[in-house]
Amino acid sequence: MKYKISLFLLLIFLLNSCQNGDEKRLAENLKEAKKKEVIFKEINNGWVFIEEPINEVSEQNVRNWTEWRDFLKEIGDKPRKTIGAFQKKSTAISKKAMALNNNIPAEFNQPQIKSRISILITKIKMLDLFIHLNKIPAEKVTFLVGDINKELISLERQMDKIVEKAKIPKEEGEADFLKMLDTTRAIPNEMPADKNLKIE
């Protein structure tokens, strides 16, 4: 009889402790859901990209440069419902940004533009990395969105500078002078291969 009573008390104790464990788990799940909701709201509010061209040159590129147009379209579509949607969007933006290196128009295929594209790609990859972490740092994600906007403006202004510089007429002989400055075209400074040949 004592055995049955002790077994009964043990069973009650186990059921009670399981209920306490379930309550703790529910409380933790509720707390985690609230954290995720706060993170979602913060990212949702901070996810504002400048997808409209800021100058005429960038607007022309939207028509002529397919990768640029696709990239601006991708950052213009804002995800709505879940953190997972933001994660998918950041991956898609990252892919479109990588494609910017592929077919840069000839007039913009210059180190200034390439370096700005590289910086833009780096910032977008950082955004993609941070948004895919288990504990998403919402402040860093929103900060990076702002940083990406700054890089976009910098890139578009550099495109504008290149176009404006190309409009300036060159002076007579300037092209020849620039060729002379080009070190890759310089005459090599080597000794003659034939040792018997005297230089006078």
Side-chain angles (χ1 to χ4, degrees), residues 133-157:
L133 293 175
N134 287 334
K135 291 185 179 180
I136 300 170
E139 317 84 46
K140 287 186 179 181
V141 170
T142 54
F143 176 78
L144 278 168
V145 169
D147 241 10
I148 290 167
N149 283 332
K150 288 177 190 171
E151 294 304 328
L152 278 169
I153 291 169
S154 173
L155 176 61
E156 291 179 30
R157 285 189 178 149

Side-chain angles (χ1 to χ4, degrees), residues 36-117:
K36 285 183 179 180
E37 188 176 327
V38 168
I39 289 171
F40 173 78
K41 282 182 181 176
E42 193 171 335
I43 290 173
N44 191 35
N45 292 337
W47 194 278
V48 181
F49 286 106
I50 301 171
E51 82 271 11
E52 290 296 319
I54 64 165
N55 53 33
E56 189 178 315
V57 174
S58 183
E59 203 170 301
Q60 289 172 352
N61 283 338
V62 168
R63 285 184 238 123
N64 303 330
W65 187 6
T66 309
E67 288 79 9
W68 180 250
R69 180 177 54 240
D70 293 345
F71 174 73
L72 290 179
K73 185 175 184 276
E74 193 66 49
I75 65 170
D77 297 336
K78 184 178 178 180
R80 296 279 175 215
K81 300 196 178 195
T82 62
I83 289 288
F86 282 102
Q87 290 170 335
K88 286 178 185 174
K89 179 54 77 176
S90 71
T91 303
I93 291 172
S94 182
K95 287 178 184 173
K96 296 292 182 183
M98 291 296 291
L100 288 174
N101 276 327
N102 294 343
N103 296 319
I104 300 173
E107 65 181 324
F108 300 125
N109 199 358
Q110 297 181 19
Q112 306 94 305
I113 297 293
K114 288 181 177 182
S115 66
R116 281 172 175 76
I117 289 173

Side-chain angles (χ1 to χ4, degrees), residues 161-177:
K161 281 182 187 176
I162 289 171
V163 169
E164 290 302 314
K165 194 174 179 182
K167 288 179 183 176
I168 299 172
K170 293 200 186 308
E171 290 184 20
E172 189 176 320
E174 186 178 351
D176 294 334
F177 179 71

